């Protein structure tokens, strides 16, 4: 089976004035379809940069990113945007929902960006039901709890059947109870819909839900299948 | 996307209201200024040409239909009708026969004064009633005809048309009726009659009084010439030009065209107004959308994370600007119609809201809005997605 994601010697250098700040120093990784992967590592190790590059939001200084046989690094900005639209779903720590739209409105917007006017109400109902949001469709984000908001964000991210769901600290803004619910939902998506998930987290309990834990340090993938407790700089 | 636009518009009511008012202001400027200029000109042209006299005789120099002072000798009226013979007072005058085909003439003085209503201006005619009615189909429907201005007590009489009588106010602010006093040329006149139809100025006073008040004794502004039959007009014009060279002789039917020519300088002013309106619309929308883009930087980052293309973001912002502009256009039209109704009810200004100019005003509002949103839209589309989504 071909990997859904492959990064090869990925490097990223930020320029802060005349100073070069390396964020990634040759990160290489493979993720299989349907895998649930957690990336851990101390702050500043390059996790978020890695996620943004894989999601096509940043262009790496060098190296390659291949998503379902499409080389992201050989693409123009517009082509990367198109690939992101077709194959990537993002979930952020701060939920990042449109506050003026209802839960359903947020999903419809994602569908509209993905498919224009041809939307799939059946898929929308399925996802909302799976994430326990069937009775919250007409609520705006401020009328929902943090956990519910994050579930809407997850629903929005998977509504268009992305090849990869990228989650950046999805439980970082949630209490334990809501974190558990969100992590359960992500696990359910992975099991029931075979959704590939790559999740950045500092939380060992969150990482423990994944099939595989990857450790990053100083811009490198230092271990690609590690026991959760063995990763330094994480907290339980 | 449409729900996103509607939500953005409703979520920021103050910004939306200010933008709509800004666009509406431009629309009001165009529709009311153009409507006022054209309405006044058309109304004046209509009343100026609404006479039986086929020919108008004016002093030499530039033709102006905007109420010349009294520059033409009144005696031309008699000369055209009856001819000229040397007299004891004027033994050297060249004798001239009556102009063939002319059956009546009347000398008219015209003066432009500030409107009594305080907004705009209004014309006043000075006339000799008896000869005037021979050259027009003027008919006093209420009260009595205008006096000659010589008979004691007739000096400060006035007659007004039905529109003036129904919409005007006297010096005490009361509705006009027979016996009301109005201010003309800085003096109080008593309304003794109401006439129909509207011919020349709406207010008419004795020519003799006008001459005394303006210091133009025995002078008038023009002479109206009535022919035996309308088809003789060209022949009469030719004779008048031959007998009295150095003066202007025009057919009454040419007057609307002359008014249209008189609009040329006004068109320059109107073009300036149109330009200003466009600038206002562009600036209002540019500032409103630019501010909105800064406020919504994070939302634009979210759109980018969802895979929205630059085109999608530009189109979304442009649609929002166009929608706000369209609302501004509608508000502008409503305000313009309200302004027209108010002006026509409270002043004697006429406003023509022509379809052509309404379309131009709408285009200015909407195109101005779309152009104004281009820079903010491009700026939003080119935001760095990572920076945008991290924006606080």
């Amino acid at each position: 089976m071909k990997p859904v994601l492959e990064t090869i010697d990925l490097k990223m250098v930020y320029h802060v004035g005349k100073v070069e700040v390396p964020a990634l120093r040759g990160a290489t990784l493979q993720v299989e379809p349907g895998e649930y992967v957690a990336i851990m590592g101390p702050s500043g190790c390059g996790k978020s940069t890695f996620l943004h590059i894989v999601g096509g939001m940043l262009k790496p200084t060098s190296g390659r990113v291949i998503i379902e046989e499409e080389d992201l690094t050989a693409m123009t900005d517009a082509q990367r945007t198109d690939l992101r639209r077709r194959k990537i779903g993002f979930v952020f720590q701060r939920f990042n929902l449109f506050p003026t739209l209802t839960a359903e409105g947020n999903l419809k917007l994602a569908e509209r960006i993905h498919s224009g006017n041809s939307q799939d109400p059946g898929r929308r109902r399925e996802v909302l039901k799976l994430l326990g949001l069937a009775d919250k469709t007409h609520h705006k984000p401020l009328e929902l709890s943090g956990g519910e908001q994050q579930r809407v964000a997850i629903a929005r991210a998977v509504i268009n059947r992305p090849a990869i769901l990228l989650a950046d600290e999805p439980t970082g803004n949630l209490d334990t109870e809501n974190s558990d619910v969100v992590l359960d939902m992500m696990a359910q998506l992975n099991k029931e819909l075979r959704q590939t998930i790559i999740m950045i987290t500092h939380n060992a309990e969150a990482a423990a839900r994944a099939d595989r834990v990857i450790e990053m340090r100083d811009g490198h993938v230092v271990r690609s299948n590690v026991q959760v407790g063995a990763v330094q700089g994480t907290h339980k | 996307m449409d729900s996103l636009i509607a939500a953005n518009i409703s979520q920021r009511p103050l910004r939306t209201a200010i933008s709509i008012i800004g666009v509406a202001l431009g629309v009001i400027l165009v529709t009311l200024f153009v409507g006022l200029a054209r309405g006044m000109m058309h109304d004046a042209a209509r009343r100026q040409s609404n006479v039986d006299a086929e020919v108008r005789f004016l002093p030499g120099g530039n033709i102006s239909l905007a109420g010349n002072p009294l520059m033409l000798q009144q005696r031309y009226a008699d000369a055209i009708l009856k001819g000229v013979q040397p007299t004891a007072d004027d033994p050297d005058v060249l004798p001239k026969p009556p102009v063939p085909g002319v059956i009546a003439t009347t000398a008219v003085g015209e003066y432009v004064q500030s409107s009594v209503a305080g907004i705009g201006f209004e014309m006043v005619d000075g006339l000799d009633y008896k000869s005037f009615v021979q050259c027009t189909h003027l008919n006093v429907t209420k009260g009595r005809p205008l006096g000659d201005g010589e008979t004691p007590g007739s000096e400060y009489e006035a007659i007004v048309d039905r529109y003036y009588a129904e919409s005007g106010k006297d010096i005490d602010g009361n509705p006009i009726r027979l016996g009301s006093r109005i201010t003309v040329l800085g003096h109080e006149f008593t309304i003794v009659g109401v006439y129909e139809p509207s011919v020349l100025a709406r207010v008419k006073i004795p020519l003799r009084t006008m001459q005394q008040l303006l210091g133009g004794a025995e002078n008038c502004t023009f002479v109206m010439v009535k022919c035996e039959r309308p088809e003789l007009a060209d022949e009469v014009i030719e004779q008048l030009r031959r007998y009295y060279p150095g003066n202007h002789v025009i057919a009454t039917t040419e007057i609307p065209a002359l008014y249209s020519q008189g609009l040329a300088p006004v068109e320059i002013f109107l073009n300036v107004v149109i330009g200003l309106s466009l600038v206002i619309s562009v600036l209002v929308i540019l500032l409103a959308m630019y501010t909105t883009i800064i406020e919504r930087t994070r939302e634009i980052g979210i759109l980018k994370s969802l895979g929205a293309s630059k085109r999608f973001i530009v189109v979304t912002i442009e649609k929002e600007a166009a929608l706000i502009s369209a609302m501004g256009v509608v508000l502008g039209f409503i305000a313009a119609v309200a302004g027209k109704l108010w002006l026509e009810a409270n002043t004697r200004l006429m406003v023509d809201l022509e379809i052509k100019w309404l379309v131009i005003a709408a285009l200015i509002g909407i195109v101005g809005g779309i152009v104004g949103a281009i820079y903010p839209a491009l700026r939003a589309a080119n935001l760095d997605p990572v920076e945008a989504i991290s924006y606080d």
Side-chain angles (χ1 to χ4, degrees):
Chain A
M1 188 184 290
K2 289 188 174 164
V4 66
L5 167 69
E6 188 175 10
T7 67
I8 303 164
D9 196 22
L10 207 54
K11 291 178 182 167
M12 181 70 188
V13 178
Y14 291 109
H15 295 270
V16 182
K18 291 181 179 175
V19 180
E20 290 190 345
V21 181
L24 293 177
R25 300 167 191 258
T28 297
L29 181 70
Q30 281 193 359
V31 177
E32 301 302 323
E35 247 194 315
Y36 186 173
V37 175
I39 299 177
M40 300 186 80
S43 296
C45 72
K47 301 188 299 290
S48 292
T49 300
F50 180 82
L51 204 74
H52 290 145
I53 290 173
V54 169
M57 303 241 281
L58 274 179
K59 187 167 180 148
T61 308
S62 67
R64 293 174 70 195
V65 178
I66 297 163
I67 295 174
E68 289 190 327
E69 300 182 322
E70 290 189 69
D71 189 348
L72 196 65
T73 41
M75 292 178 176
T76 63
D77 184 46
Q79 288 169 329
R80 281 205 313 276
T81 301
D82 184 56
L83 183 132
R84 185 162 65 243
R85 180 176 61 78
R86 290 184 287 114
K87 297 198 170 176
I88 303 292
F90 267 108
V91 175
F92 300 95
Q93 182 176 349
R94 292 166 64 179
F95 320 139
N96 282 341
L97 296 172
F98 282 90
T100 54
L101 299 179
T102 61
E104 190 176 30
N106 271 278
L107 266 62
K108 280 183 174 176
L109 178 63
E111 287 180 87
R112 181 105 184 217
I113 289 169
H114 184 267
S115 317
N117 288 322
S118 58
Q119 302 191 357
D120 185 352
R123 167 73 177 176
R124 200 183 312 139
R125 275 195 298 275
E126 179 194 14
V127 170
L128 285 168
K129 190 178 170 192
L130 188 66
L131 291 166
L133 293 165
D135 58 340
K136 304 287 183 185
T137 53
H138 299 299
H139 290 242
K140 288 187 177 174
L142 288 178
E143 297 160 0
L144 299 170
S145 70
E148 287 168 337
Q149 287 187 55
Q150 193 60 302
R151 279 187 277 152
V152 173
I154 294 168
R156 183 181 65 182
V158 299
I159 190 75
N160 297 316
R161 297 184 175 85
I164 307 170
L165 173 63
L166 300 174
D168 189 355
E169 296 273 10
T171 58
N173 268 8
L174 301 176
D175 58 24
T176 310
E177 190 183 337
N178 275 310
S179 293
D180 283 343
V181 173
V182 165
L183 291 170
D184 285 347
M185 297 292 176
M186 287 176 65
Q188 202 176 345
L189 281 172
N190 174 249
K191 296 269 181 307
E192 293 186 14
L193 303 180
R194 296 264 307 145
Q195 176 66 58
T196 306
I197 301 174
I198 301 174
M199 174 178 65
I200 287 177
T201 184
H202 280 108
N203 186 326
E205 285 177 15
R209 309 282 190 114
D211 300 332
R212 183 157 62 108
V213 177
I214 291 162
E215 183 187 358
M216 286 188 72
R217 189 172 298 277
D218 299 329
H220 294 281
V221 173
V222 290
R223 284 184 285 182
S224 61
N225 195 352
V226 64
Q227 290 295 316
V228 173
V231 181
Q232 292 177 20
T234 61
H235 45 83
K236 281 212 167 199
Chain B
M1 182 176 63
D2 296 339
S3 59
L4 178 64
I5 292 167
N8 284 336
I9 286 175
S10 62
Q11 202 69 21
R12 296 169 173 83
L14 183 64
R15 187 262 339 205
T16 303
I18 290 171
S19 307
I20 289 172
I21 291 168
V23 173
L25 190 64
V27 172
I28 293 166
L29 268 178
V30 172
T31 49
L32 271 191
F33 271 93
V34 173
L36 203 53
R38 300 185 84 82
M40 295 299 289
M41 285 291 189
H42 290 160
D43 180 54
R46 193 165 48 243
R47 282 186 284 120
Q48 287 285 342
S49 56
N50 190 23
V51 294
D52 293 339
E54 295 86 355
V55 180
R56 190 164 293 192
F57 187 87
L58 302 112
N62 293 331
I63 294 182
S64 168
L65 298 167
N68 279 324
L70 310 182
M71 299 288 285
L72 182 70
Q73 291 183 11
Q74 183 186 345
R75 62 182 180 179
Y76 276 110
D78 278 344
I80 292 166
L81 185 65
K82 299 171 184 168
V84 182
Q85 295 299 325
T87 62
D89 291 339
D90 198 356
D92 300 328
V93 72
L94 285 174
K96 287 178 184 164
V99 176
V102 173
I103 57 166
T105 57
T106 187
V108 179
E110 273 199 337
Y111 185 75
V112 181
Q113 67 171 17
S114 299
S115 170
V116 176
I119 298 177
F121 58 89
E122 63 188 11
M123 302 270 279
V124 180
D125 285 340
L127 52 90
D128 168 58
Y129 184 81
K130 283 181 184 165
S131 61
F132 189 82
V133 293
Q134 290 174 345
C135 294
T136 63
H137 44 291
L138 182 140
N139 181 32
V140 172
T141 55
K142 272 189 197 170
R144 61 174 175 78
L146 191 64
D148 59 12
E150 289 184 49
T151 310
S154 71
E155 300 95 324
Y156 293 99
E157 289 180 353
I159 56 174
V160 295
D161 70 0
R162 190 162 65 94
Y163 175 84
Y164 190 102
E166 288 174 354
S167 63
K169 298 271 194 294
D170 68 10
I171 56 174
D172 298 320
N174 298 316
I176 296 287
R177 54 186 168 73
L178 294 180
S180 292
R181 289 172 304 150
I182 58 172
T183 303
V184 181
L185 303 176
H187 290 73
E188 284 184 19
F189 282 68
T190 303
I191 293 175
V192 298
V194 177
Y195 69 87
E196 284 190 86
S198 279
V199 174
L200 306 183
R202 297 193 186 282
V203 179
K204 302 191 189 308
I205 62 172
L207 176 60
R208 186 168 183 79
T209 308
M210 180 179 272
Q211 289 168 337
Q212 287 172 347
L213 294 177
L214 295 179
E218 304 295 320
N219 278 8
C220 62
T221 305
F222 57 82
V223 171
M224 291 199 296
V225 181
K226 174 88 181 87
C227 304
E228 274 178 34
R229 297 188 308 279
E231 57 269 29
L232 291 176
D234 288 344
E235 204 176 308
V236 167
I237 288 170
E238 196 179 313
Q239 296 289 343
L240 284 170
R241 284 177 180 156
R242 192 155 58 85
Y243 288 170
Y244 303 103
N247 296 293
H248 289 295
V249 185
I250 58 172
T252 304
T253 50
E254 293 177 53
I255 290 176
L258 286 169
Y259 268 92
S260 294
Q261 285 173 19
L263 266 177
V266 180
E267 297 284 357
I268 296 169
F269 167 73
L270 295 180
N271 287 337
V272 172
V273 171
I274 289 167
L276 273 177
S277 304
L278 191 59
V279 169
I280 288 172
S281 296
V282 168
L283 285 180
V284 164
I285 294 294
L286 192 151
L287 287 173
M289 297 310 290
Y290 187 79
T291 311
T292 305
I293 295 312
I294 289 173
E295 278 177 13
R296 283 165 28 196
T297 298
R298 190 179 181 81
E299 291 180 19
I300 290 156
I302 301 169
L303 281 176
K304 284 177 169 267
S305 77
L306 293 171
S309 64
K310 288 182 179 179
R311 182 174 176 277
F312 182 96
I313 292 168
V314 168
V315 168
T316 302
I317 292 166
E318 286 289 1
K319 275 189 177 179
E320 187 174 328
L323 187 58
I324 289 172
S325 301
M327 289 192 275
V329 167
V330 171
L331 178 68
F333 283 171
I334 292 169
V337 170
K340 168 188 164 72
L341 295 176
W342 185 88
L343 282 170
E344 291 182 353
N346 294 284
T347 71
R348 273 173 286 285
L349 300 174
M350 304 298 284
V351 183
D352 273 2
L353 296 181
E354 296 172 28
I355 295 291
K356 173 190 161 189
W357 285 99
L358 293 179
V359 171
I360 289 173
L363 285 175
I364 285 170
I366 291 171
V367 171
I370 289 171
V371 170
I374 287 175
Y375 173 67
L378 290 176
R379 191 177 185 277
N382 287 308
L383 282 174
D384 180 273
V386 175
E387 284 178 15
I389 209 155
S390 312
Y391 186 83
D392 276 315

